[in-house]
Amino acid sequence: MAPRYSSLPTNEAHAHEAEERDEIQPEPGSKKGKMFAAIAILISVAGLSAAAIIPAVRDTVFSSNLESTKETLKPSNELERRTGRKLNDGIFENLVRVHSPTTLELESGNHAIFHVETIPHSGEMIQVNTERASSVEHTFTETGKHVVKVEVSYNDGSSQTFVYSVISKVIRVELRDLNAEDRHIYFEALSTFQFTTQSDGVAAYGKKYKSLEYLLRQHLYGAADKPGDLW
């Protein structure tokens, strides 16, 4: 049975297709034939050249950035290194503890210059180290999102700058996990809170100070408020 797309018998269809091919293809020795051959050669050469050049260009572009694209900031403090646990179990990326000395380094160990934003969203940057180092120590004194810029140097003499966001928060720590210095600071603050009066505390530390006496009085006022059970 002849194919659906052909109205001619099979043998006649093949003969007809052969005649069409002969009409399309020029004779080898003719001018038209030479022109077709030249075009075919040019296309082949262009294709081979492109196949050879494009991968080379692609590899050159990626190889120049291959090392730099893997740079990852790794902040940590003494508590994390001692316990082997990331702050907040690593849920937040680049989370640091305010008022706690923090080591800033790159996972690659490459040497770099570190710049840190002192106040969140202020744009005020300080240069932490003057000579390139694999790690530096910095204490964040304000809570919020800080910008950290790192200028990385590579063995081939090239360098690149990376920008990271570091979030500084007040993070509570289990009492038994505190080191001796932090534990001493905690108990000193607790003693000040308990034995320094409200007026003396405001004079010494500012209007945001709240003594144990003040908070206890506020609690009693609320508990004894008849219009509603506020506590």
Side-chain angles (χ1 to χ4, degrees), residues 157-176:
S158 63
S159 63
Q160 190 166 350
T161 300
F162 298 87
V163 181
Y164 306 93
S165 292
V166 173
I167 301 176
S168 175
K169 288 182 175 289
V170 176
I171 300 175
R172 288 184 287 182
V173 179
E174 212 283 333
L175 184 62
R176 289 166 294 185

Side-chain angles (χ1 to χ4, degrees), residues 93-198:
E93 186 178 16
N94 296 336
L95 180 65
V96 300
R97 186 179 172 206
V98 68
H99 296 298
S100 177
T102 300
T103 298
L104 300 174
E105 58 186 335
L106 298 172
E107 284 190 350
S108 63
N110 285 321
H111 286 58
I113 298 292
F114 293 80
H115 303 261
V116 178
E117 188 177 29
T118 55
I119 302 174
H121 309 293
S122 67
E124 299 178 2
M125 309 288 293
I126 62 169
Q127 185 170 322
V128 181
N129 55 321
T130 55
E131 296 185 359
R132 300 186 182 277
S134 58
S135 66
V136 296
E137 187 174 273
H138 177 75
T139 301
F140 293 86
T141 58
E142 299 283 342
T143 58
K145 184 181 290 186
H146 300 257
V147 173
V148 175
K149 293 183 179 180
V150 183
E151 300 174 5
V152 188
S153 296
Y154 297 105
N155 295 330
D156 61 0
S158 63
S159 63
Q160 190 166 350
T161 300
F162 298 87
V163 181
Y164 306 93
S165 292
V166 173
I167 301 176
S168 175
K169 288 182 175 289
V170 176
I171 300 175
R172 288 184 287 182
V173 179
E174 212 283 333
L175 184 62
R176 289 166 294 185
D177 284 339
L178 293 174
N179 58 29
E181 182 180 0
D182 287 344
R183 191 162 47 246
H184 174 75
I185 293 173
Y186 171 76
F187 284 121
E188 283 292 314
L190 188 62
S191 176
T192 300
F193 166 69
Q194 183 173 358
F195 296 112
T196 303
T197 64
Q198 180 63 25

